[in-house]
Amino acid sequence: MKRKPDFKNGIFHGKPIYVLAVILLTVLLVISILTAVTIGSVDLSVKDVYSVILYKLFGIGDPEVYGVGAMSDIVWFIRLPRILLATAVGMGLAVAGVIMQAIVKNPIADPYILGISSGASLGATVAIFLGVGAVFGSNSIGICAFIGAFLISVLVQITANIGGRANSVRLLLAGTALGSVCSAFSNFVVYIAGDRDGIQTVTFWLMGSLAGAKWENLAVIIPCVFIATLFFCTQSRILNMMLLGDEVSITLGTDLHRYRQVYLVVTALLIGFVVYSAGIIGFVGLIIPHVVRMFFGTDHKKMLPLSALSGSIFLIWADVASRIIIPKSEVPIGILVSMIGAPCFIYKLTKQNLSQHWKMLKLDNLDYHLHKAVW
């Protein structure tokens, strides 16, 4: 395997710069959480916000002032859970985007390219209009969306394996086809229902929102996102090998078929939890890995931690903007992220030929560090 000496994989090189970037992003994430919790439509002083948190966590302070009342409820039950949910959702979407782009070898893929978004939409639609999942109570929409996302991911694997072993192209085609089928059924259910209130509900839910953040849900979502992220961080060598292709991986003694299936299931579970907790939020899994790849290259050992941290930071501030951009109101975060992400991505495509990104994923243009990570 011969490398081209003039090829540069990313702007920054070397382990010291990577370690510095991880440290800086971690510090920035902590600062973002501590700052975002003080911002909202209700004017609360920084001292009062942190006093409520200190009392709730360590029992420090006056219980009659910081333990009960409107101020305590706003900080502890609304702002802080919402910010932590944004952290987990941003991390989950960014990591899922990295994995999807490796699986289908497409640098402009996002977590929903394999029909997961359409499956979640169908689950939410049948829950709202047909009453499916009513036994789950107030969480019926989110749970049905989770089930829909996971089932479509399984069907994508089954379909892609019909008539031969699944590869990146077959997975992409299966996901596109099944996504279209789910969208068609969703539109059909909406059409025959004729429920204006239901249409408004499903539309708002599909726009994405972090307003439903609750501590009991965070106790499940945060560990799942972190476990999935840590799992994928241990798989950087296999993910790098996916960029080389199936033929090269077989010569190296590794069959990617089984790994591809496992990664798809884990990613589906990850996206399912995200959809369950926040609805449909696009572009995070597309833009964040794309930007990280431009700066630090295609090596997944670097991409995964940097994308996870960047995704969390991005979504925290996107949520802050969605809460304050219109006084006394809230813009669905899915709309705001799309308004930010789409122009940025279009601008990038106009400044740099897309073929250059495809070359980054081809064997003859891979950097020495990528080959080293694989070997």
Side-chain angles (χ1 to χ4, degrees):
M1 291 185 291
K2 186 182 295 183
R3 69 181 182 94
K4 294 184 178 181
D6 59 342
F7 178 78
K8 292 184 179 180
N9 191 0
I11 297 175
F12 301 111
H13 304 271
K15 187 175 181 180
I17 296 180
Y18 162 68
V19 173
L20 179 62
V22 170
I23 294 174
L24 290 177
L25 286 175
T26 302
V27 172
L28 184 57
L29 176 58
V30 174
I31 293 174
S32 297
I33 293 173
L34 295 177
T35 304
V37 76
T38 65
I39 302 173
S41 57
V42 179
D43 188 15
L44 297 176
S45 68
V46 175
K47 176 180 178 297
D48 287 338
V49 170
Y50 291 150
S51 295
V52 170
I53 296 175
L54 287 174
Y55 175 78
K56 292 291 186 178
L57 292 177
F58 307 108
I60 300 174
D62 188 347
E64 295 184 0
V65 177
Y66 304 116
V68 293
M71 180 173 63
S72 175
D73 292 343
I74 290 172
V75 174
W76 188 252
F77 293 108
I78 298 178
R79 289 188 186 178
L80 189 57
R82 183 169 182 148
I83 293 166
L84 294 179
L85 180 61
T87 303
V89 170
M91 181 177 294
L93 289 173
V95 170
V98 173
I99 303 306
M100 287 293 100
Q101 290 168 13
I103 289 176
V104 302
K105 292 199 296 183
N106 187 337
I108 57 172
D110 73 352
Y112 303 118
I113 195 171
L114 297 185
I116 297 175
S117 175
S118 298
S121 301
L122 179 58
T125 301
V126 298
I128 292 172
F129 290 104
L130 305 182
V132 176
V135 294
F136 298 119
S138 60
N139 293 322
S140 61
I141 299 176
I143 293 176
C144 286
F146 170 86
I147 294 172
F150 180 73
L151 289 179
I152 288 301
S153 299
V154 174
L155 288 175
V156 166
Q157 291 190 71
I158 295 174
T159 305
N161 280 282
I162 295 176
R165 301 185 70 179
N167 54 35
S168 58
V169 176
R170 294 171 68 90
L171 286 170
L172 183 60
L173 293 175
T176 302
L178 288 173
S180 299
V181 171
C182 289
S183 297
F185 273 102
S186 296
N187 293 333
F188 179 73
V189 171
V190 171
Y191 178 78
I192 64 175
D195 183 355
R196 292 185 178 180
D197 293 336
I199 293 174
Q200 185 176 2
T201 301
V202 73
T203 301
F204 184 80
W205 187 85
L206 293 176
M207 290 178 183
S209 176
L210 301 173
K214 299 177 181 178
W215 284 110
E216 52 267 30
N217 294 339
L218 289 175
V220 177
I221 295 166
I222 291 178
C224 289
V225 170
F226 275 97
I227 290 172
T229 301
L230 291 175
F231 167 73
F232 285 126
C233 285
T234 65
Q235 303 297 305
S236 59
R237 178 179 175 272
I238 302 299
L239 291 167
N240 286 341
M241 201 173 294
M242 285 185 176
L243 303 186
L244 301 176
D246 290 80
E247 294 181 359
V248 176
S249 67
I250 291 175
T251 64
L252 296 176
T254 303
D255 186 358
L256 296 179
H257 176 71
R258 178 171 57 89
Y259 289 103
R260 193 177 281 115
Q261 288 186 314
V262 172
Y263 296 166
L264 188 58
V265 170
V266 176
T267 303
L269 288 170
L270 181 59
I271 295 299
F273 278 110
V274 169
V275 168
Y276 161 71
S277 59
I280 305 298
I281 302 176
F283 274 106
V284 178
L286 177 66
I287 295 296
I288 297 300
H290 189 74
V291 173
V292 171
R293 187 183 293 111
M294 285 192 304
F295 283 100
F296 293 94
T298 56
D299 187 357
H300 286 87
K301 188 175 182 180
K302 297 178 181 179
M303 275 196 67
L304 282 164
L306 293 173
S307 295
L309 293 169
S310 300
S312 295
I313 296 169
F314 174 79
L315 205 64
I316 286 173
W317 289 108
D319 180 59
V320 170
S322 72
R323 289 186 281 123
I324 66 175
I325 195 170
I326 298 179
K328 308 294 183 180
S329 182
E330 176 183 334
V331 178
I333 192 171
I335 294 178
L336 188 62
V337 170
S338 297
M339 292 172 65
I340 298 172
C344 290
F345 191 60
I346 294 172
Y347 173 78
K348 179 59 188 174
L349 291 180
T350 60
K351 297 295 289 185
Q352 187 171 357
N353 195 314
L354 184 61
S355 64
Q356 295 178 1
H357 299 283
W358 279 103
K359 289 179 181 178
M360 292 177 66
L361 300 184
K362 291 182 179 294
L363 173 62
D364 59 349
N365 282 326
L366 283 177
D367 185 73
Y368 168 73
H369 298 290
L370 178 56
H371 286 292
K372 184 178 179 180
V374 171
W375 286 101

